[in-house]
Amino acid sequence: MDEKNKVVKDASYFCKLSFEDTLTGLQTRLGGLSNTEALNRQREYGLNTIHKRNVNPLLIFLRQFKDNPLIIVLAVATLISFFLGQQISSYYIFALIFISVFLGMWNEYAAERTIDNLLKKISPTAVVMRNDEHLEIPVSQLTVGDIVILSEGSIIPADLRIIESKDMEVNESPLTGESKTVFKIANAVDLKSNNLTEMSNIAFMGTSVESGSARGVVINIAKQTEFGKIAKSALYVKPETDFEKGLTKFGQLLVKVILILTTAIFLINALLGHKLLDSLIFSLAIAVGLTPELLPVIVTVSLSHGAGKLAKKKVVAKQLIAIENLGNMDVLCTDKTGTLTEGNIEVVDYIDAEGHKNPQVLIAGLRCNTAIIHHKVAGNAIDVSIWHYAIKNHIHLTANVSKVDEESFDYTRKAMFSVIAKEGKYSLIVKGAPQAILDWCVDDRQRKELAEKFSKLNQDGLRIVAIAEKEINKKEDYSWDDVKDLRFLGYLSFLDIPKTSAKEALMKLNKLNISIKVITGDNEIIAQKVCKEVGMNVAGVLTGPQMDKLTDEDLRKKVEQANLFTRVSPTQKLKIIQTLRDIGHTVGFMGDGINDIPALRSADVGISVNTAIDVAKDAAAIVLLRKSLDVIADGIMEGRRTFNNTIKYILMGTSSNFGNMFSAAGASFLLPFLPMTPVQILLTNGLYDLSQLSIPTDNVDHESLIRPRHWNINFIRNYMIFFGPISSVYDFLTFGVMIYIFHAQNALFQTGWFIESMATEILVVFVIRTSRSPFFLSKPSKWLLGTCVGIVLVSLLLPFSPLAGTLGLVTPPPLYFFILIILVSTYLILVEFMKHIFLRKYTL
């Protein structure tokens, strides 16, 4: 259902109201709407969507003309020709234009549908109260009056009036441009202006929760939100990728060649006394013949073909171009949890300060915990695992203890704290990394003994989370300044089993020349043990504290050498990614937490998982439905396969196709008639394009997949200059055969060259598609083989068909076909020989 544009009230109106008055005004309650109320409001206000992806066939059809304006010029010239009496040829040209446009439209439409279906697999969700129960629903189903529960990492799904806040800080930079986080409160605010930055009790759609948690009631959805109002009047322009920049440079090269050649052909033909309209249509037909109009289709089909294959392997590309970026990657940075390990962190033990198993340590871990409990437990891995263990073992919290304050996990301090109240007494509980907790404890002797014990447990592969506490006085607000003079309470030990498939996946990535760098907040002892168990050779270790002491130049050297980074903060994680990119690497980063956001956005390829927090999925270009290194390897292969098949089409077009068009231009100056009619040129171009539609399915040689390849316009230009003349030489040999052996005039000459042109430019595909020599050592896909051979057969049979007369074709003499076999065979042998020489001199 479309958004109804029904305005409730502006956000500033709700700022001034108490949250009780807000709930009353919106006719809702803390327990949320009933299902019936929610359904009725969805009918009234519409769905909570701003940009709805509509795959519009008409717009896609019109885009074909926008992407190739030469077709419009040719169509206009043909229309003039039609009115001047050349109806038959005009019909054919119009038919060929329509077929070309339809093929482009159909393939682009199919690709759009593919990405549309993939995005549905990673649709964002929100946790709401409905019928006094926690429910997780698609964000699009939110409506005015819904009670939304927010936690660290949530992307705020609509404009909300905060009704309860626990130290929630929000990043409003997507809306206001301000990088500083904003504290949100539940109290009414007396506004001095309608500036969004003053609305401290409103959480705006599109912003994200940096820390803390809150509840809010939806006051506006979709285009009525502040974010929606901006989105209606502004478009976000995505930066071009290297792949897109390469396509642009290639297009600019083509435009220069086409403009120069087309203008020259038209002027010289006109000066030679040919009819102006015939000269114009002929020169435009040459221009269309030179234009690889299927290039956008080949790229789109290749990417959508790859996206479809990856989707079956649980990998979703949010944008098709992300697949190609994945193929260019040569360094992958990742955490160990869920990639090198199973990712199912389990509680092994809970030991008190005296060394005994004590449930009170686990209870403390539950109280100092930010996980949210509804139909499933959501939060960071450690907090979730503690709750899972408690639920599984029927361990419950008593009702006479309440949490009065909480500070979420601080990645710099490597700890979090909660303040609890019981029977009028208050306690501060702190949970975090052992070293951090021990530094806040008062007993120095105990600290040393425990440090040695924790080191031994780490060597056994156990992850340790320490807990300490102290009694504290009641106060309005608690801060990290209160975290001192603690009494060590105990520790929880966790185990994350190394993944059995990790070793094979690492070997697979190594064969693809991908360097793996593990970045973790864990200490080096645990990290090195895990790396060793999965067969990863640790070339160098760099810790967070060590990074802080390095100069920029030393950091560059260390980051290049090391492949294990431990005890790093989010800022250091970002620094590692940026340094690798500065060195010249194409960097992929895999993350799923709030601390991973800067690195995900900075990397060339951001990769997350469907179970990640909202902001991580939003920042990533690739989302995995299953967190695993082997599916990333599959993605890299698809990216490289797409790039290679795209380059194949370009190299084929810049060799024989360009050579044939140059020959047509040259022959038009020397012959008293056109070497091919405009219809025949367009037919040649159209049939060739049909034969190449199967390129996205083609096999790619293994040696072309083992390392990333990048655009090299100089290589493509050299290829054009090197192989184009070879094709032209054989065209002029054909001209000689037709004139001196068969004494051919218009129709026979044009037929002879049409057949030779089709045979050479299509069959040479099998030579050019591979760097292997001889070419038959590389096996093409059955689809490419079928379309190429099939189109060549069609070209051979056309002169014998009922269409021959209207196409200006006649039946060649038998001797012609014998000569054709010799010409085509020697051409393929010569191109094979020259390919060997060319590839020794130039590399892509």
Side-chain angles (χ1 to χ4, degrees):
M1 184 183 299
D2 293 331
E3 198 264 328
K4 305 293 184 181
N5 294 324
K6 181 178 175 70
V7 178
V8 182
K9 290 285 185 181
D10 192 79
S12 59
Y13 170 81
F14 291 100
C15 272
K16 303 168 186 176
L17 300 179
S18 66
F19 80 80
E20 294 92 349
D21 289 341
T22 300
L23 294 177
T24 302
L26 294 173
Q27 297 180 341
T28 187
R29 55 195 175 280
L30 289 174
L33 301 171
S34 68
N35 291 335
T36 303
E37 287 172 327
L39 190 60
N40 289 336
R41 294 193 185 199
Q42 285 169 6
R43 292 195 185 103
E44 184 179 359
Y45 299 109
L47 294 180
N48 184 33
T49 55
I50 294 177
H51 295 299
K52 188 176 180 182
R53 282 183 60 91
N54 288 315
V55 183
N56 190 320
L58 178 60
L59 290 178
I60 294 173
F61 177 79
L62 294 174
R63 195 153 59 227
Q64 308 309 307
F65 295 95
K66 179 186 174 184
D67 293 341
N68 192 0
L70 279 172
I71 290 180
I72 299 175
V73 179
L74 180 62
V76 171
T78 305
L79 188 63
I80 296 171
S81 177
F82 175 84
F83 287 119
L84 292 177
Q86 299 183 21
Q87 281 90 355
I88 300 298
S89 61
S90 299
Y91 286 139
Y92 276 112
I93 294 174
F94 281 131
L96 290 167
I97 290 173
F98 176 78
I99 290 170
S100 174
V101 169
F102 178 78
L103 285 174
M105 185 203 79
W106 178 256
N107 283 286
E108 190 175 340
Y109 176 76
E112 288 279 351
R113 291 295 300 270
T114 297
I115 196 70
D116 198 43
N117 290 331
L118 292 179
L119 288 175
K120 289 177 182 176
K121 296 185 178 183
I122 53 170
S123 297
T125 59
V127 178
V128 301
M129 294 294 293
R130 290 262 178 95
N131 295 316
D132 295 310
E133 291 183 353
H134 290 84
L135 292 178
E136 188 171 10
I137 64 171
V139 164
S140 61
Q141 300 297 318
L142 276 180
T143 191
V144 173
D146 264 325
I147 304 298
V148 180
I149 299 167
L150 301 172
S151 59
E152 183 180 88
S154 297
I155 291 180
I156 294 166
D159 282 358
L160 310 176
R161 167 64 166 88
I162 301 300
I163 57 176
E164 177 187 332
S165 177
K166 294 180 180 178
D167 298 324
M168 188 174 78
E169 290 185 66
V170 173
N171 178 0
E172 294 186 342
S173 59
L175 194 62
T176 65
E178 295 288 337
S179 58
K180 187 178 179 181
T181 56
V182 180
F183 274 97
K184 293 298 178 179
I185 60 175
N187 298 333
V189 174
D190 186 16
L191 293 177
K192 295 179 181 178
S193 71
N194 284 340
N195 193 315
L196 300 184
T197 57
E198 292 185 23
M199 300 183 189
S200 55
N201 56 4
I202 304 292
F204 297 104
M205 182 185 205
T207 60
S208 57
V209 181
E210 289 282 312
S211 63
S213 59
R215 293 188 182 212
V217 58
V218 176
I219 57 175
N220 274 316
I221 62 170
K223 294 179 183 178
Q224 298 307 312
T225 63
E226 296 301 322
F227 188 83
K229 292 172 187 175
I230 295 172
K232 283 193 287 187
S233 58
L235 290 175
Y236 171 65
V237 180
K238 291 181 292 184
E240 276 192 317
T241 65
D242 287 340
F243 185 70
E244 290 167 321
K245 288 176 183 175
L247 283 176
T248 301
K249 288 180 181 178
F250 177 66
Q252 291 168 347
L253 174 66
L254 278 182
V255 168
K256 292 175 184 175
V257 174
I258 290 169
L259 283 176
I260 294 170
L261 192 62
T262 305
T263 305
I265 293 170
F266 173 69
L267 292 175
I268 295 174
N269 272 278
L271 290 172
L272 290 173
H274 296 159
K275 292 180 181 179
L276 284 178
L277 186 59
D278 287 348
S279 299
L280 177 62
I281 294 178
F282 177 73
S283 60
L284 287 172
I286 291 289
V288 173
L290 286 169
T291 306
E293 64 268 27
L294 272 192
L295 179 58
V297 175
I298 295 295
V299 172
T300 304
V301 172
S302 294
L303 291 171
S304 62
H305 182 74
K309 290 175 69 175
L310 284 178
K312 294 176 182 176
K313 297 176 181 179
K314 308 297 184 184
V315 181
V316 175
K318 287 168 61 182
Q319 302 99 26
L320 287 178
I321 203 71
I323 298 173
E324 198 282 331
N325 296 340
L326 199 59
N328 284 340
M329 185 172 71
D330 64 337
V331 174
L332 174 62
C333 299
T334 178
D335 191 3
K336 63 178 179 58
T337 304
T339 51
L340 301 184
T341 65
E342 290 293 345
N344 297 320
I345 301 174
E346 295 184 357
V347 174
V348 174
D349 224 335
Y350 33 94
I351 305 298
D352 62 22
E354 282 71 44
H356 304 129
K357 190 165 187 171
N358 190 337
Q360 290 306 312
V361 176
L362 186 70
I363 294 293
L366 291 173
R367 298 210 181 277
C368 187
N369 194 302
T370 57
I372 294 176
I373 318 297
H374 47 99
H375 288 294
K376 64 179 182 180
V377 183
N380 71 65
I382 291 293
D383 286 352
V384 168
S385 67
I386 296 171
W387 269 107
H388 279 162
Y389 183 89
I391 293 168
K392 183 179 178 181
N393 292 276
H394 308 291
I395 297 172
H396 305 287
L397 296 178
T398 55
N400 64 335
V401 179
S402 61
K403 185 185 293 186
V404 296
D405 202 359
E406 181 180 84
E407 187 70 38
S408 300
F409 188 83
D410 185 303
Y411 289 94
T412 302
R413 295 179 174 88
K414 299 187 181 301
M416 69 162 291
F417 71 77
S418 293
V419 177
I420 63 168
K422 181 181 180 181
E423 298 174 352
K425 294 183 178 180
Y426 292 81
S427 297
L428 174 75
I429 304 175
V430 187
K431 173 168 68 70
Q435 189 59 53
I437 300 298
L438 292 177
D439 285 345
W440 287 315
C441 290
V442 292
D443 192 333
D444 289 336
R445 186 174 58 82
Q446 185 188 41
R447 185 187 306 155
K448 184 178 179 181
E449 291 173 359
L450 286 170
E452 292 175 356
K453 183 175 185 178
F454 292 154
S455 176
K456 189 174 180 181
L457 290 170
N458 287 159
Q459 290 172 5
D460 292 334
L462 292 174
R463 186 173 179 177
I464 305 301
V465 171
I467 301 176
E469 66 174 357
K470 74 171 184 178
E471 290 189 3
I472 195 167
N473 294 326
K474 180 182 178 181
K475 54 196 285 192
E476 281 295 319
D477 192 29
Y478 298 91
S479 70
W480 284 102
D481 292 336
D482 298 310
V483 180
K484 58 186 176 183
D485 302 329
L486 304 178
R487 178 180 66 84
F488 182 74
L489 181 64
Y491 66 87
L492 297 163
S493 61
F494 302 82
L495 182 64
D496 192 7
I497 302 168
K499 189 173 283 189
T500 53
S501 62
K503 188 172 185 178
E504 185 180 345
L506 288 170
M507 290 173 62
K508 195 173 179 180
L509 288 166
N510 185 55
K511 288 177 181 177
L512 292 173
N513 286 282
I514 303 294
S515 173
I516 301 292
K517 294 184 182 289
V518 176
I519 305 176
T520 179
D522 274 352
N523 65 59
E524 48 273 31
I525 299 173
I526 295 177
Q528 286 188 84
K529 179 176 175 60
V530 171
C531 289
K532 183 179 179 181
E533 289 184 357
V534 298
M536 178 179 164
N537 179 41
V538 178
V541 180
L542 186 63
T543 68
Q546 289 170 345
M547 279 184 66
D548 289 335
K549 299 174 183 177
L550 297 175
T551 64
D552 287 345
E553 187 57 36
D554 288 338
L555 182 64
R556 285 169 68 94
K557 294 176 183 176
K558 289 286 187 181
V559 165
E560 181 76 14
Q561 173 202 357
N563 62 348
L564 178 59
F565 301 84
T566 63
R567 291 190 282 151
V568 294
S569 67
T571 305
Q572 291 169 331
K573 200 176 289 189
L574 175 62
K575 185 70 174 175
I576 293 166
I577 301 299
Q578 291 174 335
T579 302
L580 286 168
R581 291 190 69 191
D582 290 343
I583 292 169
H585 292 292
T586 301
V587 184
F589 177 77
M590 187 170 175
D592 56 7
I594 190 76
N595 60 318
D596 295 323
I597 304 307
L600 276 169
R601 288 180 174 148
S602 179
D604 294 287
V605 189
I607 306 167
S608 193
V609 290
N610 203 29
T611 54
I613 60 171
D614 293 343
V615 282
K617 287 191 289 184
D618 186 64
I622 301 285
V623 177
L624 309 181
L625 302 183
R626 176 171 62 88
K627 192 174 183 180
S628 176
L629 286 176
D630 57 344
V631 295
I632 295 178
D634 292 333
I636 291 167
M637 293 282 279
E638 285 303 326
R640 293 180 182 177
R641 190 173 286 112
T642 297
F643 181 83
N644 277 278
N645 282 336
T646 303
I647 290 296
K648 282 179 193 176
Y649 176 74
I650 291 172
L651 296 182
M652 292 165 192
T654 54
S655 54
S656 58
N657 197 19
F658 265 75
N660 288 341
M661 294 304 108
F662 289 143
S663 302
S668 69
F669 307 149
L670 304 174
L671 298 172
F673 53 85
L674 294 177
M676 265 197 209
T677 66
V679 171
Q680 291 165 351
I681 290 174
L682 292 174
L683 181 63
T684 302
N685 188 55
L687 289 174
Y688 173 77
D689 283 344
L690 275 175
S691 71
Q692 302 307 295
L693 276 176
S694 55
I695 278 185
T697 70
D698 192 26
N699 302 321
V700 177
D701 298 334
H702 176 71
E703 57 269 26
S704 296
L705 295 174
I706 58 176
R707 64 183 67 254
R709 300 169 76 188
H710 301 277
W711 279 93
N712 186 336
I713 296 300
N714 291 332
F715 178 89
I716 295 170
R717 187 182 61 243
N718 291 333
Y719 207 97
M720 185 192 307
I721 296 169
F722 197 85
F723 288 98
I726 299 174
S727 176
S728 291
V729 166
Y730 272 80
D731 288 334
F732 280 99
L733 283 174
T734 303
F735 298 163
V737 167
M738 299 311 296
I739 292 172
Y740 296 110
I741 295 179
F742 298 112
H743 308 290
Q745 290 301 312
N746 300 38
L748 181 58
F749 182 95
Q750 291 162 352
T751 302
W753 188 40
F754 168 77
I755 295 174
E756 182 270 343
S757 175
M758 290 303 303
T760 52
E761 75 173 315
I762 290 178
L763 293 178
V764 79
V765 165
F766 298 111
V767 179
I768 293 173
R769 59 169 291 277
T770 177
S771 58
R772 293 179 182 176
S773 288
F775 67 87
F776 51 76
L777 293 177
S778 175
K779 185 180 177 183
S781 72
K782 62 181 181 180
W783 291 107
L784 183 64
L785 182 64
T787 54
C788 287
V789 173
I791 295 298
V792 170
L793 288 174
V794 168
S795 305
L796 290 170
L797 294 174
L798 270 177
F800 301 92
S801 73
L803 296 173
T806 53
L807 290 171
L809 302 174
V810 295
T811 305
L815 179 60
Y816 166 81
F817 292 100
F818 176 75
I819 296 173
L820 179 69
I821 292 172
I822 294 173
L823 287 172
V824 173
S825 300
T826 55
Y827 172 66
L828 296 180
I829 291 169
L830 180 59
V831 172
E832 174 66 34
F833 176 72
M834 298 304 288
K835 179 185 75 174
H836 182 68
I837 294 173
F838 179 84
L839 291 178
R840 286 175 62 184
K841 187 175 182 180
Y842 302 103
T843 56
L844 182 61

